[in-house]
Amino acid sequence: MKQTGDLNLVKKINKSIVLHYIRNYSPISRARIAEQTGLTKATVSSLVNELLESSLANEIGTGESSGGRKPMMLLFNRTAGYALGIDLGVNYIRAVLTDLEGTIVEQYKVQHDNTVLELALAELKACIREMLRRVPQSVYGIVGIGIGIPGISNGQGDVLFAPNLGWTHVPLQRIIEEEFGIAVVIDNEANAGAVGEKEFGAGRDAADLVYISVGIGIGAGIIIKGELFRGSSGFSGEIGHMSIQHDGKPCRCGNAGCWEMYASENALYEAAKNVLNTQSVDMETLLSLAEKGESSVIKLFERVGHFLGVGVVNIINGFNPELIIIGGRLAEAGQWLRPTMLQSLEGRSLPYPRERLQIEFSQLGSRSAVLGACSFAISKFFASTKVSVE
C-alpha cells in the first residue's frame, strides 16, 4: 500500500511538472519537455497522453526539425474550463469569468448595502448564478470559484473576522459549495490582489513585493521569493490595523489610531462630507470634481496621500521589498495621491531600504483581486488533477 501511494504521489508531481511546461511554454514538444525537466521521454510521453485524453492539451501539428523527425507540438487548452473570481467588497460584488490562462471573458458588478448578512449572501449567490449563466461551453465548465474577502479566513474557508463587513465566523466556503456544488477557495482580497498583480500585472518581474489594497479598509498581500506569505497562522497582511497614532480615532477592530482610519476610502468620505457639506459622497463624484480642478477635493486626496505614505514607510522599513503596488479603488486617484505620499516616504523612511524600491499604482486597477481569486480557483483545480498508476 505504501509503495502504491508513493507511486501515485511521484506521478502526480511529474504530471504537474509536465502540465506546467505546457501551460507556460507552449507550443512545446515532448522531447523539449523531457530535456527541460530531466524526465525520461517515455514518462513524458505517457503523461502527455493523459493530458491529451483529459483535454488539457492539444496537438497542433509538427514543428521545426533540429536534425531528425519533426516534433509534434503541444498547446495548452486554455478553454477546457473556466474559473469564476469574486471580489466581495464592503459595498459591491465584482466578478469575472476567465479561461484557464486568466484571460477575462465575462465581467459583472453589483452594489450591495451590506446591512444584513443574509441579504449580502443572497446578493453573492445571485451574482454567481448570473456568471454561471454566461459560462461558454467547455469540457470542464466552471473548474472552481475563488472569493476574495475583506478580512481574515481560515484554511476551511470560514470568514473569521471581517470588521468592515461586520462578519464573524461565517462558513462561506461551505455555504457556496453546498449551493452550487463547485469547489470554492476563500482568501483575503489583498492576498488575491497580490497574486493577481504577480501573475498578470505590475508584479510579474518582482520576487519580493507588497500589494496594498486601499478601499473602505486597507489590507496587504505579501509575496516573498515569488510565494505568498501567510504568516505562522495564515493571517498576515492586516496592516490597515497597525497604529499610526497611539491615541487616534477608534476603529471597528477594537484598536485606536489604525492606518485605515486616515488613509482609506472611508477616511476620504468622512472628510469630504464636511468639506462638501453633504451626507452622501462616492468615489466617482470625488474623482470627477478633482479632474475638473476642484481645489478642496484635490486637497482631500493630497491629505489621504500623506497618511498613505506614513503607513507605507513602515512597510519599507519593516520588509525592504523591491516593489510596492498600491491597488484598490483609491488607486484611481493616484495622480493626486502620489506627490504627498512620496513626500512622506522621502522624509520618513530609511534611505537604504528605499534606495532600490519601486512604487507603482496597480496596472490592473479594480481587477487585481478578482484575477487573483481566479488564479486560486485554477490552482486548486490543477492540484486536484487525478493520475492513474499502471
Side-chain angles (χ1 to χ4, degrees):
M1 292 297 294
K2 184 176 186 296
Q3 184 183 19
T4 301
D6 287 347
L7 286 173
N8 254 313
L9 177 60
V10 169
K11 188 171 184 182
K12 187 170 185 177
I13 291 170
N14 288 343
K15 189 174 183 180
S16 177
I17 292 170
V18 171
L19 181 57
H20 167 80
Y21 273 84
I22 295 175
R23 286 179 67 194
N24 291 281
Y25 303 105
S26 63
I28 189 170
S29 67
R30 292 170 174 80
R32 183 64 174 165
I33 295 172
E35 178 185 321
Q36 290 293 307
T37 62
L39 298 172
T40 66
K41 290 183 179 180
T43 296
V44 169
S45 183
S46 173
L47 295 174
V48 165
N49 287 340
E50 288 191 15
L51 292 171
L52 292 172
E53 289 172 9
S54 63
S55 300
L56 291 175
N58 294 320
E59 292 182 328
I60 58 169
T62 56
E64 292 296 321
S65 172
S66 57
R69 177 191 296 178
K70 289 185 177 181
M72 180 63 68
M73 304 304 288
L74 304 164
L75 187 70
F76 176 59
N77 184 10
R78 60 188 180 87
T79 58
Y82 296 86
L84 175 54
I86 294 173
D87 176 7
L88 177 58
V90 175
N91 53 18
Y92 67 88
I93 301 171
R94 178 179 287 107
V96 301
L97 196 66
T98 73
D99 63 25
L100 297 180
E101 285 186 340
T103 302
I104 295 174
V105 296
E106 290 284 350
Q107 302 185 63
Y108 183 72
K109 183 182 177 183
V110 64
Q111 299 295 129
H112 73 98
D113 57 14
N114 187 41
T115 53
V116 180
L117 171 63
E118 288 73 20
L119 292 177
L121 289 174
E123 289 280 8
L124 175 60
K125 291 176 182 178
C127 175
I128 293 172
R129 288 191 192 95
E130 173 60 26
M131 295 304 282
L132 293 179
R133 188 182 65 80
R134 302 184 184 188
V135 180
Q137 283 292 114
S138 66
V139 176
Y140 293 98
I142 288 287
V143 302
I145 301 172
I147 304 176
I149 54 103
I152 296 171
S153 66
N154 60 15
Q156 290 73 52
D158 302 321
V159 180
L160 301 178
F161 184 48
N164 290 319
L165 279 174
W167 291 12
T168 56
H169 298 284
V170 178
L172 188 59
Q173 179 178 318
R174 178 176 62 79
I175 290 170
I176 301 302
E177 286 186 341
E178 287 180 355
E179 180 76 18
F180 297 100
I182 299 171
V184 174
V185 182
I186 308 294
D187 210 324
N188 176 268
E189 60 88 18
N191 283 344
V195 170
E197 289 289 343
K198 173 63 180 168
E199 294 200 10
F200 309 110
R204 277 175 283 198
D205 298 324
D208 302 296
L209 70 87
V210 178
Y211 170 81
I212 304 172
S213 174
V214 189
I216 295 298
I218 299 177
I222 303 162
I223 290 181
I224 299 175
K225 297 187 184 303
E227 299 291 332
L228 189 63
F229 175 74
R230 296 185 177 276
S232 62
S233 303
F235 306 140
S236 68
E238 292 299 322
I239 59 170
H241 298 288
M242 66 179 174
S243 297
I244 64 168
Q245 192 165 331
H246 75 279
D247 57 351
K249 302 173 185 178
C251 179
R252 293 181 69 175
C253 75
N255 194 7
C258 289
W259 187 23
E260 66 180 44
M261 300 305 296
Y262 302 88
S264 64
E265 275 188 59
N266 258 357
L268 175 68
Y269 295 156
E270 288 303 311
K273 287 175 184 177
N274 294 327
V275 170
L276 300 177
N277 193 26
T278 180
Q279 292 301 308
S280 179
V281 68
D282 56 44
M283 183 62 68
E284 289 73 21
T285 299
L286 295 177
L287 289 171
S288 177
L289 289 170
E291 286 167 358
K292 292 174 182 176
E294 177 60 53
S295 60
S296 61
V297 174
I298 291 173
K299 286 179 181 177
L300 289 175
F301 281 122
E302 289 173 344
R303 178 174 171 79
V304 169
H306 163 74
F307 283 114
L308 192 59
V310 170
V312 170
V313 165
N314 294 315
I315 296 170
I316 295 171
N317 293 344
F319 287 94
N320 185 29
E322 63 180 292
L323 174 63
I324 292 175
I325 302 170
I326 311 293
R329 287 220 304 168
L330 201 56
E332 295 176 35
Q335 61 180 301
W336 301 292
L337 298 172
R338 183 185 291 273
T340 50
M341 181 186 72
L342 293 179
Q343 286 174 12
S344 292
L345 300 187
E346 290 166 6
R348 295 168 179 263
S349 62
L350 296 171
Y352 291 108
R354 193 178 71 237
E355 195 171 58
R356 297 184 180 179
L357 172 71
Q358 287 184 285
I359 298 182
E360 304 282 351
F361 284 85
S362 170
Q363 292 181 358
L364 301 175
S366 59
R367 295 172 299 161
S368 302
V370 281
L371 285 172
C374 284
S375 179
F376 289 145
I378 292 168
S379 295
K380 185 173 183 177
F381 168 67
F382 285 130
S384 65
T385 300
K386 293 182 175 63
V387 297
S388 60
V389 175
E390 300 297 337

